[in-house]
Amino acid sequence: MVNLTINGKQHAREDGTLFGDFMNSLNRDLAIRSQVISVIKVNGETIDEAREAGLAMRSLAQLGSIEITTVDQIELAFQGLSSAQAYARKLMTYCRLNGENYKNGKIKEADRNFVDLVDGLENLTQLVMTSQSVLRGKYRDIHTNDSSLRIAQVRLVSAIEELLPAKKQNDHVMLADVLCNELPEALQEMADYGIPVLQRLRTS
């Protein structure tokens, strides 16, 4: 017998249904309702996408207990914006610390941290862009005259684009300046003025 729960409610399925077929069907149904899967647990253990793919040819009965939690895409987008806002503020501190390392001649330590910093900036921009894309689809008939988000995005991209040539040329003075001043200020503008433009859509 299949022990399947979705958002805490028991659901009946044929024992012989393949897990992969069930997931494909569920994802199609969720897409219609603008929902996505946030957590999958098999026998109490959370599984990732790779593990999910590995179980695709197993029947539901073979897997034992299956628990699935879904979330509304719009709510997920707003949660993503809150995370992005907090993340931007953490990156501000990280930028300044790394900038001080370049300024004080701690080049090896600064270079090691630089890779993590670039990854963090990429994650931040992707998080904002993904949330923005989802919300744009939902609120496409709502227009705002607030250009704060666009300005913040342009300023952040501009600061990031100054980093890479400076790093390639090993211009530690330029790196220190961008990391201590321009980039943290751009991140603060994104957190304080850019992201709130999208967050206000919740009350539109």
Side-chain angles (χ1 to χ4, degrees):
M1 180 179 177
V2 178
N3 184 9
L4 170 67
T5 60
I6 302 176
N7 296 329
K9 296 181 180 180
Q10 287 283 341
H11 286 256
R13 287 292 188 279
E14 293 291 333
D15 288 359
T17 302
L18 295 180
F19 181 64
D21 291 341
F22 163 70
M23 292 302 299
N24 289 337
S25 175
L26 178 60
N27 281 317
R28 285 194 297 269
D29 291 343
L30 291 175
I32 295 171
R33 303 197 299 272
S34 297
Q35 292 186 327
V36 292
I37 294 171
S38 60
V39 179
I40 303 174
K41 291 184 179 180
V42 176
N43 297 320
E45 179 184 354
T46 300
I47 65 172
D48 57 17
E49 290 183 1
R51 181 81 188 282
E52 178 187 337
L55 298 175
M57 299 307 294
R58 303 276 296 275
S59 71
L60 297 182
Q62 288 176 310
L63 295 181
S65 173
I66 304 170
E67 303 170 64
I68 296 174
T69 303
T70 68
V71 65
D72 183 85
Q73 279 185 321
I74 301 303
E75 184 59 34
L76 194 62
F78 282 120
Q79 289 175 10
L81 290 173
S82 295
S83 297
Q85 198 170 36
Y87 195 35
R89 293 191 172 113
K90 287 182 180 179
L91 283 174
M92 287 166 52
T93 301
Y94 194 65
C95 284
R96 290 194 173 103
L97 289 173
N98 213 36
E100 289 297 326
N101 283 337
Y102 279 116
K103 189 180 295 185
N104 296 325
K106 299 178 181 178
I107 307 303
K108 288 185 178 179
E109 182 179 352
D111 283 346
R112 284 196 301 269
N113 294 337
F114 186 84
V115 176
D116 292 335
L117 175 59
V118 171
D119 287 344
L121 291 168
E122 183 177 349
N123 290 338
L124 173 65
T125 54
Q126 285 296 323
L127 187 54
V128 173
M129 288 175 60
T130 300
S131 298
Q132 184 178 5
S133 177
V134 171
L135 294 174
R136 184 179 292 156
K138 173 67 175 178
Y139 297 99
R140 56 182 176 273
D141 295 328
I142 296 178
H143 302 280
T144 174
N145 293 323
D146 194 334
S147 60
S148 301
L149 175 60
R150 180 176 55 81
I151 293 172
Q153 287 174 321
V154 170
R155 187 175 182 189
L156 182 57
V157 169
S158 176
I160 293 171
E161 287 179 346
E162 287 189 30
L163 272 183
L164 300 181
K167 181 67 177 67
K168 187 175 182 179
Q169 297 167 15
N170 288 320
D171 187 341
H172 301 145
V173 174
M174 183 64 172
L175 284 168
D177 182 53
V178 175
L179 290 170
C180 288
N181 300 296
E182 187 171 347
L183 188 51
E185 290 171 5
L187 287 166
Q188 182 165 2
E189 184 171 345
M190 176 61 76
D192 293 349
Y193 301 103
I195 291 174
V197 172
L198 294 173
Q199 291 175 319
R200 286 193 289 272
L201 289 174
R202 188 190 286 271
T203 56
S204 297

